[in-house]
Amino acid sequence: MHAHDGGTTPARRLAAWTGAIALLLGYAWWAVSRPPFSAAATAAVLLAGAAGAFIGALSRGRTEPRVVAPRGGAWVVLGAAAGLWQLAAFLQQPRHEHPTLSSLANALLDSQPARAAAFAVWVLGTVRLARR
Amino acid sequence: MTRLVTLLGYGAIALAALGLELAARRTGRVATIGQALDAVLRRWPFRLALLAGWMWLGWHLFVRVDWR
């Protein structure tokens, strides 16, 4: 087993990943502490999203041979059902009796640590989506 | 709809999604969520729309709500 792989050792890779995660979590903590509905909050989110999309796009590999995938119609049906259920909840009041996914998410993310963690997951999701 | 019915509806949809993913991985007859996403993301208009929607989700969750 070689200690070096293209110039990076496992220890260096681990340090790089640890640094990247620490940076992401620090930024997430700061971003979710911006005043709500503010330009600073919007900029913080858009900047993180753009950076995530850029990193994801950069790490997209070469075009792989297309594989004929099985049918995905069931996902379309499920997505439509979810959308309609959400819409039905949104159109009714009071919100406590008819919670939307947003109101449920707000209840779950009702602390800065939870919001920061969710923000970090969202950024990582951006990278994954842009990489596909 | 009461709160319980609404929550049960979301739960049923989540369980259906989980079941569909498991069935896709076991049988291969249905696309997994990853394969379905790949099919959508193959076309640039859909790719841009999906990424724009994801950005909107971030803005919706982390900007336009006063949690403090």
Side-chain angles (χ1 to χ4, degrees), chain A residues 18-59:
Chain A
T18 304
I21 290 169
L23 184 66
L24 174 60
L25 289 176
Y27 183 89
W29 187 271
W30 172 80
V32 299
S33 69
R34 299 303 89 209
F37 299 95
S38 67
T42 301
V45 169
L46 290 181
L47 185 67
F54 180 72
I55 291 167
L58 273 185
S59 56

Side-chain angles (χ1 to χ4, degrees), chain A residues 37 75 97-98 102 115 132, chain B residues 1 31 38 47 60-61 65:
Chain A
F37 299 95
W75 289 106
E97 287 296 313
H98 307 284
S102 294
R115 285 193 104 70
R132 293 193 87 97
Chain B
M1 285 194 299
D38 285 341
R47 172 181 284 273
H60 183 72
L61 285 177
V65 63

Side-chain angles (χ1 to χ4, degrees), chain A residues 49-80:
Chain A
F54 180 72
I55 291 167
L58 273 185
S59 56
R60 272 186 91 197
R62 74 250 177 268
T63 305
E64 295 181 359
R66 284 191 187 177
V67 176
V68 177
R71 294 181 176 275
W75 289 106
V76 175
V77 170
L78 204 54

Side-chain angles (χ1 to χ4, degrees), chain A residues 97-123:
Chain A
E97 287 296 313
H98 307 284
T100 59
L101 292 174
S102 294
S103 64
L104 292 172
N106 289 337
L108 277 174
L109 305 180
D110 199 22
S111 69
Q112 187 158 358
R115 285 193 104 70
F119 188 91
V121 168
W122 174 79
V123 172

